[in-house]
Amino acid sequence: PLTGLPGTRALLAMLDEALLQGAGHEREVQLALVEMDGRDTLEQLYGAVERDKALRSVAALLRSGDGMLGRLSRAGDAFAVLLTMSTQ
C-alpha cells in the first residue's frame, strides 16, 4: 500500500472487533476520519508523485503518535483513527 497503513477492509474488521469487545464492557468506541485537503490541487500543480509523497508524510506523522492516537488505517481518500477507551 502507498502509505503502509491498512486499508478499508482492515478498518471494518478493526471496527467490528472494537465494537464486539466494547459491548457490555463499558468501553467507548470512536472513529475519526482525517481528510487531507488540497490533495487534488497538489496533484494538478506538482503531479502524482508529489501527491503520493504528501500522503506518505501525513501517514508517517499520524503513525508517529500511533500509541496515543489509536489504530490507524487509510479509508479511501481519508485516514481513519479508531479509538477505544474505558467509560469508567
Side-chain angles (χ1 to χ4, degrees), residues 8-22 29-32 71 73 81-84:
T8 304
R9 285 188 189 135
L11 169 63
L12 293 174
M14 288 187 285
L15 186 56
D16 282 345
E17 178 186 339
L19 290 171
L20 286 172
Q21 287 178 354
V29 177
Q30 298 177 355
L31 179 65
R71 294 154 85 183
S73 63
V81 182
L82 179 62
L83 301 162
T84 57

Side-chain angles (χ1 to χ4, degrees), residues 4-67:
L5 294 175
T8 304
R9 285 188 189 135
L11 169 63
L12 293 174
M14 288 187 285
L15 186 56
D16 282 345
E17 178 186 339
L19 290 171
L20 286 172
Q21 287 178 354
H25 297 289
E26 297 186 27
R27 294 196 61 81
E28 187 174 286
V29 177
Q30 298 177 355
L31 179 65
L33 296 176
V34 180
E35 191 162 341
M36 193 174 96
D37 288 340
R39 200 182 64 254
D40 293 336
T41 303
L42 182 65
E43 182 175 359
Q44 289 171 358
L45 292 174
Y46 302 106
V49 171
E50 293 302 316
R51 179 211 56 213
D52 291 350
K53 283 183 187 176
L55 285 168
R56 283 191 291 272
S57 293
V58 171
L61 180 64
L62 290 171
R63 200 180 297 112
S64 71
D66 193 13

